[in-house]
């Protein structure tokens, strides 16, 4: 792999391990379903491990994907990032979307990633956001407090900045509505005088490790609530809104397709 550096491979290995940790935590939380793994490779370099869980006690359909792709930077990506066309890149990360069986357990999404390009430039990106079918204000407050605690442990500036970024990013422009109750989102997070590369990666792993506890809060509070056809119909409509955003506005979908990623893995965010 051209341009591979020791710290890059440490990041790849740790994100690979994070996928294992999250899958184990979700299987324990669900209590029935287990993840099915599909290994894939990319013709131009790299590949990944796609893991899908279906028909569980809690999770109707979900995915926890790891990927590490590399090779010459596609022209469209290079232009968007204002980087030289053909420069060698590495992109690695973990991406998660869960659709619960119960309409009272929200859709949840997380992505943590690292990007490195030939010449030494590198950055982190990611975040967590929640799209409830039914909003419970006190649960939204608890979720945001968990994220604030993770952020504050690394920088008091992170939470307000990343929350506002998430609110702007996960907005359905064509509907003039938010996708959910938000969360945090960040991109192009580069080392500076205040935060070393190691600091930023520690924050990213801490955020990843907060995923299962965040989701467990919603499951414990809501999974046992009774529901019927009326609630399922509303769930179907809210899932459709989620699909609209991911196909129209989500940059992760576009990046995956533009870099010739595995289509089934890119679209694992689709509901049942």
């Amino acid at each position: 792999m051209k341009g591979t550096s020791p710290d890059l491979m440490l990041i790849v290995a740790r994100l690979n391990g994070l996928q294992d940790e999250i899958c184990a935590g979700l299987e324990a939380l669900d209590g029935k379903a287990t993840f099915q793994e599909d290994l894939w490779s990319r013709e131009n370099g790299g590949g990944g491990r796609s893991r899908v869980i279906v028909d569980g006690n809690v999770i109707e359909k979900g995915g926890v994907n790891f990927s590490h792709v590399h090779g010459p930077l596609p022209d469209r990506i290079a232009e968007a990032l204002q980087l030289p066309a053909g420069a060698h890149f590495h992109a690695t990360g973990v991406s998660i979307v869960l659709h619960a069986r119960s309409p009272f357990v929200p859709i949840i999404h997380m992505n943590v990633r690292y990007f490195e390009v030939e010449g030494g430039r590198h950055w982190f990106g990611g975040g967590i956001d929640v799209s409830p079918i039914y909003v419970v204000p006190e649960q939204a407050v608890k979720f945001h407090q968990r994220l604030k605690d993770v952020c504050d442990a690394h920088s008091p500036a992170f939470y307000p900045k990343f929350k506002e970024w998430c609110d702007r990013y996960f907005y359905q422009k064509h509907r003039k509505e938010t996708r959910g109750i938000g969360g945090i989102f960040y991109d192009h997070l580069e080392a500076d005088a205040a935060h070393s590369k190691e600091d930023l990666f520690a924050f990213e792993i801490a955020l990843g490790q907060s995923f299962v506890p965040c989701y467990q809060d919603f499951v414990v509070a809501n999974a046992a609530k009774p529901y019927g056809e009326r609630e399922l119909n509303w769930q179907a409509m809210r899932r459709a809104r989620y699909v609209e955003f991911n196909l129209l506005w989500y940059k992760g979908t576009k990046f995956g397709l533009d870099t010739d990623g595995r289509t089934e893995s890119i679209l694992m965010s689709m509901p049942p």
Side-chain angles (χ1 to χ4, degrees):
M1 290 179 289
K2 181 181 177 183
T4 301
S5 59
D7 56 338
L8 167 67
M9 297 318 295
L10 286 173
I11 290 172
V12 169
R14 185 64 189 92
L15 290 173
N16 207 317
L18 180 65
Q19 182 196 33
D20 291 336
E21 294 170 24
I22 291 171
C23 288
L26 291 175
E27 287 180 347
L29 180 60
D30 185 87
K32 174 188 173 185
T34 58
F35 282 91
Q36 302 302 306
E37 182 175 272
D38 184 13
L39 302 178
W40 59 275
S41 60
R42 175 177 173 269
E43 184 177 349
N44 292 326
R49 303 191 303 185
S50 294
R51 291 180 179 171
V52 173
I53 186 169
V54 296
D55 296 329
N57 288 325
V58 174
I59 303 167
E60 187 172 10
K61 180 193 173 190
V64 180
N65 290 345
F66 164 82
S67 65
H68 173 210
V69 299
H70 54 86
L73 203 60
D75 291 347
R76 283 174 291 184
I77 301 295
E79 183 179 355
L81 296 176
Q82 298 182 323
L83 294 169
H88 202 87
F89 80 98
H90 288 264
T92 185
V94 175
S95 182
I96 307 169
V97 176
L98 300 178
H99 296 279
R101 186 172 299 281
S102 168
F104 296 111
V105 177
I107 304 167
I108 189 168
H109 158 257
M110 185 188 81
N111 178 273
V112 288
R113 59 189 181 273
Y114 172 77
F115 191 96
E116 182 176 298
V117 69
E118 186 178 355
R121 188 179 173 196
H122 55 265
W123 62 83
F124 297 93
I128 303 180
D129 71 290
V130 168
S131 300
I133 313 303
Y134 293 93
V135 178
V136 181
E138 57 267 31
Q139 292 177 17
V141 169
K142 184 176 183 179
F143 169 67
H144 275 272
Q145 186 61 54
R146 276 196 181 273
L147 298 185
K148 185 175 186 300
D149 291 343
V150 172
C151 289
D152 287 353
H154 297 270
S155 170
F158 280 179
Y159 177 75
K161 179 180 179 180
F162 297 164
K163 178 189 179 298
E164 194 273 336
W165 201 339
C166 185
D167 290 341
R168 281 189 285 111
Y169 185 78
F170 291 103
Y171 182 74
Q172 298 270 36
K173 300 174 187 176
H174 64 294
R175 297 279 186 187
K176 295 182 173 56
E177 65 185 27
T178 59
R179 188 169 90 164
I181 59 170
I184 61 172
F185 175 81
Y186 58 96
D187 203 1
H188 296 277
L189 195 61
E190 300 184 58
D192 57 21
H195 302 98
S196 67
K197 183 178 181 179
E198 291 73 20
D199 293 336
L200 296 179
F201 188 49
F203 162 67
E204 185 149 282
I205 292 299
L207 182 64
Q209 291 176 326
S210 76
F211 180 83
V212 173
C214 283
Y215 191 57
Q216 182 169 305
D217 288 342
F218 290 111
V219 171
V220 170
N222 299 299
K225 293 178 180 178
Y227 58 85
E229 185 176 356
R230 180 173 180 269
E231 289 78 15
L232 289 172
N233 287 339
W234 179 244
Q235 180 189 50
M237 196 279 283
R238 294 309 305 167
R239 283 175 169 177
R241 289 286 208 272
Y242 196 86
V243 170
E244 287 181 14
F245 180 89
N246 278 20
L247 294 182
L248 291 172
W249 304 112
Y250 186 49
K251 293 179 182 178
T253 304
K254 181 174 176 55
F255 179 84
L257 295 174
D258 283 349
T259 53
D260 296 320
R262 182 175 181 271
T263 300
E264 288 301 319
S265 299
I266 297 164
L267 297 181
M268 67 87 178
S269 62
M270 298 298 102

